Amino acid sequence: MSTYKHNVVYFGIWSVLLSTLFINEVMAQQRCGKFEWDCNDGQCVSEDARCDGVVDCQDGSDETAENCIQGYATCHTFAFKCSYGACITGGYRCNGRKDCADNSDELICDSQKFDKLQGSCSSDNDFQCSKSKECISKYSICDGAKDCKDGSDETLQLCVGFDCPEIAFHCGYGACINGNAKCNGVKDCADGSDEAWELCGFPRPTNRITPSQPPDSQNENKCQLPENGLYLVARLHPQNHTIRLGSWVNNYETIHLECSNGYRIPTGASLNCQDGKWKGSFPTCAQYCEGQALLGLSTFYVCFNNNIPARQCQRVQPNAQVYIGCNAGYDGLGNNLPPLRCTSDGKFTAKRPTCGVECGVLRLGTALARKGLPVEKSEVPWQVAIYQKPSDNVNYKFICGGSIISPSVIVTAQFVQKIYRVFKTFTEAAHCFWDVAIEQKMNAEFFQIAAGKYYRDYGVTKDPTAQIADVAEIVISSSFRYDKDHFREDIAVVKLKNPFIFNENISAVCLTIKSSADRYVPNNWDGSVVGYGDTDDKVLQQVPMKTLSYHSCQLKDKLAFLANDKFCVQNEGEATVCRGDSGGGYVIHSAITKRHELWGIISYTPFRNAECARDGFVTVTNVNYMSDEVILKMEQFKQEDKTLF
């Protein structure tokens, strides 16, 4: 995993406190206190330590589906959902480290497991059980019911990341069941997580160790409310009338708790009396700081409650400290940034700082291609694949490439001259976004864009870490005409409905619009373009290219007219581009900024007899000639992204 600037703060804090966590491990107490959660074995841990991916209870009960599955649906958009329900920072996924207690954040990265389902079974639609070796239908795997005698069709290793419909319920190991089967009194998930107590609003199971309570001869089997509870208000269910503190409540009755004067209760506020004992602990009213104020695309945070760290603190208790750092793909915060503190009135001492996009920076990755020019997973983290949605919702068609310049902003082309080949691989696309038949831009709802996509085919099983987003808006110049001006202004800016979450394999390339004096591209600049190779897997490959200025390219074929916003690129080696990978970027590594910068968008091949660019040239639209109206929309989209940082 790469090391980022914020890790100095992050890992420094953790290394200092790890020993403290083990030495001062909290043992089972008579009753868990303020800001604590009771483990199944009676141990008390920080309430923020529950369902954060790290096992804090000795019996592991703070990180189980039984106690966490209810949180699965409430993880923030920027978080990664562990299979059993915990929420961790989205950037932790597939970082080579176990951040979910069940390791589901790393198991989801296995891109080969779905290729091995058939085993020695004769039918392509069969799944071979691991130990019993029997063959069952692939459609029976990860459906909640164990069809294999050895249960291997319903395991975390197989089912993690399984593609469930939106209306389905995710079991604690990744399987999918009917959403209506949740909390129906029947365990439809193999692990029973669909009937978890808190998910379904049941009393917490009584098969755990609970604090003892001295008997009272006059109130046998009754439970007493605490006599003192600052700002605490109790209401009896279902009448919902208020009862005073210190009162006795009959066996099996339930009370609902709330706070007055603007104070809050941190967790679920209902307790049930069972055989003279409250099932649960009474909370303490306090002015918490809302963790929602700490969420953003560009940052992660670590909370410290009583010197105990919690990576996901949805409610921050008074006097807790919060350290902020930059997520992968962002920078701008110093290593000595002072922590935020939650004050007694429920407010942070300062507004959460934000980071800026760290564009044009490469990180460590894994080689993908073995033929041609190999591409590291992070070597082109800004490259995206654009797909046209099919009417059958199955056969998505790859049409163009593009470049990320902001989490939800893509720069690409809008028109492809005709049927073309990419790295000797035919594609049937004849346009990116321009409809030739009606001579206008196509509707944004017809497209999806994938980042971190190293295989051309749309199927996500080979790209488990890929992210896919729908298109919200497509912006092109109002003066563009595909049959006039030789494809002048062949640039499109695309806004996504949801931003990409940056990580080691997804980030932005730098794009700075140059002034008229600096936008001219001379001969022999070294750069590269990217396309999908001619191997069976059709993985990304990178081709080094040199520039030809507008005038030099025009002189190569006097009969071919070149629009004045173009320059050309060429490659004299064996690996090359055929008819361009339209929309993909021409990127150079700046000797001044030490960053990778986007200078052009692959447009078309201008020469009549040059199907490929091996001895010919590929025409590139200079991004610095982008029209003012497109630049204004692009900057607007980038500003909208910043509100999410």
Side-chain angles (χ1 to χ4, degrees):
M1 188 183 97
S2 299
T3 301
Y4 312 118
K5 296 177 181 178
H6 65 259
N7 289 143
V8 176
V9 175
Y10 179 83
F11 287 112
I13 293 167
W14 277 85
S15 62
V16 170
L17 289 172
L18 275 177
S19 58
T20 305
L21 287 174
F22 287 104
I23 295 173
N24 298 322
E25 187 173 86
V26 183
M27 303 302 294
Q29 301 175 6
Q30 290 297 309
R31 177 179 290 258
C32 293
K34 184 178 179 181
F35 310 125
E36 291 182 319
W37 185 78
D38 52 330
C39 307
N40 286 1
D41 63 2
Q43 179 189 357
C44 299
V45 298
S46 168
E47 65 184 22
D48 288 324
R50 179 187 176 197
C51 306
D52 68 346
V54 178
V55 174
D56 294 278
C57 294
Q58 291 180 340
D59 62 359
S61 58
D62 60 315
E63 302 295 327
T64 63
E66 174 195 22
N67 293 321
C68 298
I69 195 67
Q70 74 284 346
Y72 189 93
T74 59
C75 286
H76 195 276
T77 305
F78 307 141
F80 172 75
K81 303 173 183 178
C82 303
S83 286
Y84 64 92
C87 308
I88 66 171
T89 300
Y92 291 161
R93 171 180 173 172
C94 301
N95 63 359
R97 184 183 65 209
K98 178 181 176 181
D99 292 291
C100 290
D102 63 354
N103 202 34
S104 54
D105 58 310
E106 298 302 314
L107 293 174
I108 200 172
C109 311
D110 183 3
S111 60
Q112 303 298 322
K113 65 178 180 181
F114 292 106
D115 298 333
K116 305 172 185 177
L117 296 180
Q118 184 179 350
S120 59
C121 298
S122 57
S123 172
D124 291 341
N125 292 321
D126 280 351
F127 165 77
Q128 186 175 40
C129 305
S130 298
K131 295 181 180 179
S132 59
K133 301 302 181 183
E134 58 194 307
C135 296
I136 65 171
S137 170
K138 286 183 180 178
Y139 302 107
S140 297
I141 66 175
C142 303
D143 63 354
K146 293 182 179 180
D147 296 284
C148 290
K149 294 179 181 178
D150 59 10
S152 58
D153 58 317
E154 301 294 325
T155 64
L156 174 67
Q157 289 74 14
L158 175 66
C159 301
V160 62
F162 206 71
D163 191 12
C164 297
E166 290 185 4
I167 60 173
F169 173 77
H170 285 258
C171 302
Y173 59 95
C176 314
I177 64 170
N178 190 311
N180 295 327
K182 178 183 68 175
C183 302
N184 63 356
V186 178
K187 293 183 178 181
D188 295 283
C189 291
D191 64 350
S193 54
D194 57 313
E195 300 297 320
W197 65 277
E198 192 168 1
L199 174 74
C200 302
F202 303 147
R204 193 168 176 188
T206 58
N207 60 348
R208 62 192 185 95
I209 300 174
T210 54
S212 60
Q213 187 175 2
D216 189 309
S217 58
Q218 295 181 349
N219 294 286
E220 187 176 0
N221 292 332
K222 292 184 179 182
C223 299
Q224 186 181 24
L225 291 171
E227 295 183 357
N228 296 309
L230 187 63
Y231 303 121
L232 190 64
V233 178
R235 299 181 187 277
L236 188 65
H237 179 85
Q239 298 90 343
N240 204 35
H241 63 260
T242 302
I243 55 178
R244 65 178 178 82
L245 297 182
S247 300
W248 289 86
V249 175
N250 292 329
N251 198 23
Y252 302 121
E253 286 193 321
T254 298
I255 59 167
H256 303 297
L257 302 170
E258 60 189 56
C259 295
S260 62
N261 295 347
Y263 280 70
R264 302 185 181 96
I265 289 179
T267 56
S270 294
L271 299 179
N272 182 260
C273 177
Q274 293 186 23
D275 300 324
K277 297 178 182 179
W278 290 111
K279 297 309 174 183
S281 301
F282 281 88
T284 301
C285 294
Q287 282 283 51
Y288 286 78
C289 294
E290 292 295 339
Q292 190 76 15
L294 301 173
L295 298 174
L297 278 178
S298 68
T299 60
F300 75 93
Y301 60 92
V302 182
C303 299
F304 286 85
N305 297 325
N306 299 324
N307 292 326
I308 298 178
R311 287 183 298 177
Q312 293 293 321
C313 36
Q314 296 179 355
R315 293 179 178 88
V316 183
Q317 61 179 293
N319 296 319
Q321 291 184 319
V322 180
Y323 288 84
I324 306 292
C326 293
N327 274 328
Y330 300 89
D331 64 3
L333 296 183
N335 294 334
N336 298 318
L337 186 72
L340 307 181
R341 187 175 60 84
C342 179
T343 62
S344 59
D345 61 353
K347 297 180 180 179
F348 289 110
T349 52
K351 185 179 179 181
R352 174 184 66 90
T354 59
C355 306
V357 171
E358 186 183 34
C359 66
V361 175
L362 301 182
R363 297 170 179 84
L364 298 178
T366 303
L368 289 165
R370 294 186 177 179
K371 298 180 180 180
L373 299 175
V375 170
E376 302 287 331
K377 276 196 173 184
S378 61
E379 195 169 332
V380 284
W382 41 81
Q383 180 76 13
V384 299
I386 303 174
Y387 298 89
Q388 187 170 343
K389 295 181 181 179
S391 56
D392 59 8
N393 206 34
V394 175
N395 298 309
Y396 282 73
K397 182 166 59 178
F398 169 78
I399 57 171
C400 292
S403 301
I404 301 171
I405 62 168
S406 188
S408 66
V409 186
I410 310 298
V411 175
T412 180
Q414 55 179 306
F415 184 79
V416 182
Q417 187 180 21
K418 61 179 183 178
I419 296 177
Y420 59 95
R421 297 192 303 173
V422 179
F423 289 85
K424 305 178 185 177
T425 302
F426 281 102
T427 177
E428 298 177 355
H431 52 75
C432 286
F433 304 114
W434 186 267
D435 191 325
V436 177
I438 60 177
E439 296 188 6
Q440 68 179 30
K441 178 179 62 179
M442 298 178 69
N443 196 306
E445 67 182 16
F446 296 153
F447 302 95
Q448 279 191 336
I449 295 183
K453 193 81 175 68
Y454 300 102
Y455 296 88
R456 191 194 70 179
D457 294 342
Y458 181 83
V460 296
T461 56
K462 287 186 176 181
D463 281 312
T465 61
Q467 298 177 31
I468 297 177
D470 288 321
V471 175
E473 187 174 349
I474 301 168
V475 178
I476 65 176
S477 172
S478 59
S479 61
F480 173 79
R481 294 294 181 271
Y482 83 96
D483 56 348
K484 296 179 181 179
D485 300 328
H486 300 271
F487 304 102
R488 194 177 190 281
E489 298 183 329
D490 183 19
I491 291 181
V493 172
V494 177
K495 181 72 162 62
L496 306 179
K497 287 186 177 180
N498 296 301
F500 289 131
I501 307 302
F502 286 175
N503 54 36
E504 289 88 345
N505 300 316
I506 301 175
S507 58
V509 67
C510 297
L511 173 58
T512 303
I513 303 299
K514 306 294 191 298
S515 64
S516 58
D518 299 322
R519 65 187 181 183
Y520 187 76
V521 176
N523 292 326
N524 295 320
W525 272 4
D526 290 319
S528 63
V529 298
V530 177
Y532 288 98
D534 60 354
T535 63
D536 292 339
D537 286 333
K538 299 178 181 63
V539 297
L540 278 185
Q541 292 187 12
Q542 192 173 35
V543 176
M545 308 287 276
K546 288 184 178 293
T547 59
L548 280 176
S549 70
Y550 164 78
H551 296 93
S552 297
C553 190
Q554 180 70 69
L555 290 173
K556 288 293 182 181
D557 190 339
K558 297 180 179 179
L559 296 178
F561 182 81
L562 201 65
N564 63 2
D565 65 346
K566 301 290 188 289
F567 63 93
C568 292
V569 294
Q570 68 175 122
N571 177 273
E572 297 177 355
E574 182 177 349
T576 187
V577 177
C578 298
R579 289 281 177 198
D581 185 12
S582 185
Y586 177 73
V587 176
I588 68 167
H589 185 258
S590 170
I592 299 174
T593 65
K594 308 301 181 183
R595 302 286 182 99
H596 288 79
E597 299 180 354
L598 181 67
W599 272 81
I601 307 298
I602 303 303
S603 184
Y604 69 100
T605 300
F607 303 106
R608 299 181 302 279
N609 298 320
E611 176 69 18
C612 294
R614 180 170 299 152
D615 297 315
F617 309 89
V618 174
T619 300
V620 178
T621 303
N622 190 329
V623 295
N624 297 296
Y625 285 80
M626 194 183 302
S627 68
D628 290 342
E629 62 177 315
V630 176
I631 291 175
L632 285 174
K633 288 294 290 185
M634 179 179 69
E635 293 302 321
Q636 174 191 327
F637 294 156
K638 290 168 64 177
Q639 288 300 317
E640 291 171 357
D641 274 1
K642 286 184 178 180
T643 64
L644 303 175
F645 288 0

